[in-house]
């Protein structure tokens, strides 16, 4: 659990665990079928500093959304702690208090924007609900200010969500999240549903918001390209664990974990004349219900040796704040 930034630490997640299911009574009810618990997070530790953008990347199903949900309290963790900068555990805050500190932005803004409300009303409601948390300027002024921050024209205030493009809708949901002046925004795949050109605009917007408001972001994506554009630090997750963490340069210039290397080799190259190296990432993600002996990545790892089947490697320092979870770091 290391942080690169000199800024004060905003959020500390320590050995977070999350199990889903495993209910024997439910199993009986389902006619004796086993409802094996699924360990979605296996001791995840991280810190986010003020104004820092931390990227979280990994294949679908590795626990990224669960991590975000446990941090904001949408899912109760099964173990570990989430602590705010004042030293208080997040669960000690009321839901309202939590929402003034951390906001979430999701992949599909359409489903979270009330289709019957105009954009102006949606933003006013968000501002009014949290009036204790924002300044005392009239609501209309505050709405205009929010639209300005996310780069939307004031003429959109009279429009309904369905009349907006996907990128505009995502800007509205970002504006709504910012209405409470949170210090941290957890953005869960915020650009995954958008076209590449719009993706780039929204990513630039996150950078602008960080510059203007000093907001920190935990930026979750399955696409390393997206994370590369925006993050100061990157956490790579595999089956509920962080397998590598470091600065953006560490992860993209000198990746050490075989999984990170595989993800990087799978990134398509923008120039079509350059032949993309084929991915070395073979096979499917193992069934998350199954217990894997030894290193979780061993079943797909091109560098696997018999010892990997018995080892549960810790995150090992590589250099500075760069760490990776692999027993073969010295050889590969
Ligand atoms: N509410 C839930 N109940 C049971 N299993 C869940 C639930 N949410 C997620 N999971 C499982 O937990 C694992 C991690 O899921 P998730 O956090 O959504 O991953 P990601 O966001 O990286 O795709 C997956 O195997 C998923 O099927
Ligand atoms: Mg997800």
């Amino acid at each position: 659990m290391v942080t690169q930034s000199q800024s004060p630490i905003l959020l500390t997640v320590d050995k977070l665990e999350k199990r889903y299911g495993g209910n024997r009574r439910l199993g009986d009810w389902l006619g004796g079928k086993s409802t094996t618990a699924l360990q979605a997070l296996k001791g995840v530790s991280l810190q986010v500093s003020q104004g820092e953008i931390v990227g979280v990347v990994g294949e679908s199903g590795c626990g990224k959304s669960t991590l975000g949900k446990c941090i904001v309290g949408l899912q109760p963790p099964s173990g570990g702690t989430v602590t705010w900068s004042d030293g208080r555990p997040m669960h000690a805050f009321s839901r309202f208090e939590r929402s003034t500190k951390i906001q979430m932005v999701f992949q599909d803004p359409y489903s979270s924007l009330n289709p019957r409300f105009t954009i102006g009303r949606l933003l006013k409601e968000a501002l009014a609900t949290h009036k204790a948390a924002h300044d005392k300027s009239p609501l209309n002024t505050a709405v205009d200010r929010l639209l300005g921050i996310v780069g939307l024209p004031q003429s959109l205030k009279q429009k309904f969500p369905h009349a907006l493009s996907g990128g505009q809708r995502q800007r509205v949901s970002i504006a709504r999240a910012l209405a409470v002046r949170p210090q941290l925004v957890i953005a869960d795949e915020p650009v995954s549903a958008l076209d590449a050109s719009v993706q780039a605009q929204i990513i630039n917007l996150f950078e602008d918001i960080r510059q203007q408001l000093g907001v920190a972001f935990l930026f979750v994506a399955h696409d390393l390209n997206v994370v590369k554009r925006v993050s100061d630090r990157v956490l790579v997750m595999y089956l509920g664990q962080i397998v590598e963490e470091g600065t953006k340069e560490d992860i993209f210039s000198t990746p050490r974990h075989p999984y990170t290397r595989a993800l990087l080799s799978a990134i398509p190259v923008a120039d079509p004349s350059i032949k993309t190296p084929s991915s070395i990432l073979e096979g499917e993600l193992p069934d998350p219900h199954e217990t894997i002996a030894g290193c979780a990545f061993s079943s797909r790892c091109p560098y696997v040796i018999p010892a990997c089947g018995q080892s549960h490697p810790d995150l090992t320092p590589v250099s500075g704040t760069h760490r990776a979870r692999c027993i073969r770091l010295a050889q590969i």
Side-chain angles (χ1 to χ4, degrees):
M1 190 172 36
V2 277
T3 176
Q4 177 80 6
S5 166
Q6 301 300 315
S7 305
I9 291 159
L10 204 55
L11 180 87
T12 302
V13 173
D14 191 34
K15 302 188 186 74
L16 200 64
E17 303 270 337
K18 177 63 186 175
R19 262 183 313 282
Y20 289 116
N23 186 330
R24 194 148 19 105
R25 272 207 224 139
L26 179 65
D28 291 344
W29 186 74
L30 290 171
K33 279 193 191 143
S34 84
T35 56
T36 326
L38 185 153
Q39 187 80 30
L41 296 177
K42 302 170 188 162
V44 172
S45 300
L46 61 96
Q47 291 185 318
V48 183
S49 298
Q50 277 176 18
E52 189 183 28
I53 303 185
V54 178
V56 180
V57 74
E59 284 164 287
S60 178
C62 71
K64 305 180 298 295
S65 295
T66 300
L67 175 63
K69 286 177 187 165
C70 287
I71 292 174
V72 294
L74 284 174
Q75 282 284 356
S78 315
T81 55
V82 181
T83 312
W84 193 242
S85 53
D86 60 5
R88 291 169 68 188
M90 283 310 288
H91 66 75
F93 295 111
S94 68
R95 245 174 108 158
F96 177 81
E97 280 177 309
R98 263 202 310 260
S99 73
T100 63
K101 300 180 188 321
I102 310 179
Q103 281 283 308
M104 269 192 103
V105 171
F106 295 99
Q107 176 174 347
D108 176 14
Y110 203 44
S111 62
S112 62
L113 299 177
N114 189 330
R116 289 193 298 274
F117 285 8
T118 61
I119 303 309
R121 180 161 174 207
L122 279 166
L123 295 179
K124 269 190 195 164
E125 299 254 324
L127 286 158
T129 320
H130 291 87
K131 57 183 178 295
H134 75 87
D135 60 39
K136 298 287 176 269
S137 56
L139 277 183
N140 271 329
T141 317
V143 168
D144 291 349
R145 184 179 154 271
L146 281 176
L147 288 170
I149 290 171
V150 299
L152 287 175
Q154 293 183 10
S155 57
L156 283 195
K157 277 190 286 191
Q158 282 76 43
K159 298 227 161 106
F160 289 89
H162 68 83
L164 272 52
S165 68
Q168 286 174 326
R169 279 201 288 266
Q170 194 56 292
R171 285 177 194 265
V172 171
S173 66
I174 294 165
R176 193 177 54 174
L178 295 176
V180 307
R181 302 201 164 184
Q183 285 171 276
L184 174 64
V185 171
I186 299 182
D188 190 356
E189 307 265 8
V191 298
S192 301
L194 304 173
D195 293 343
S197 62
V198 185
Q199 281 193 353
Q201 292 164 13
I202 299 288
I203 290 167
N204 291 340
L205 176 62
F206 285 122
E207 182 58 52
D208 288 351
I209 292 168
R210 180 251 288 271
Q211 298 270 342
Q212 278 190 61
L213 306 178
V215 176
F217 287 91
L218 194 66
F219 190 98
V220 173
H222 64 271
D223 181 346
L224 266 173
N225 258 334
V226 165
V227 169
K228 185 177 185 179
R229 294 173 91 120
V230 77
S231 311
D232 302 310
R233 269 188 314 124
V234 176
L235 314 175
V236 181
M237 282 185 72
Y238 189 75
L239 281 179
Q241 282 186 320
I242 294 176
V243 294
E244 184 160 6
E245 63 180 21
T247 64
K248 183 169 69 178
E249 291 70 32
D250 292 335
I251 300 297
F252 288 93
S253 306
T254 54
R256 298 301 306 277
H257 195 282
Y259 179 60
T260 313
R261 291 183 182 179
L263 285 179
L264 282 169
S265 76
I267 289 186
V269 182
D271 181 348
S273 66
I274 300 172
K275 200 170 176 298
T276 313
S278 61
S279 169
I280 56 163
L281 190 56
E282 284 174 2
E284 296 289 310
L285 203 61
D287 180 346
H289 291 92
E290 280 172 20
T291 311
I292 299 167
C295 167
F297 189 56
S298 57
S299 65
R300 300 166 87 188
C301 183
Y303 305 101
V304 67
I305 54 171
C308 300
Q310 285 97 51
S311 69
H312 295 274
D314 285 333
L315 278 169
T316 309
V318 176
S319 65
T321 57
H322 188 184
R323 305 200 299 167
R325 193 185 290 280
C326 173
I327 57 165
R328 303 209 61 206
L329 287 177
Q331 293 98 45
I332 62 172

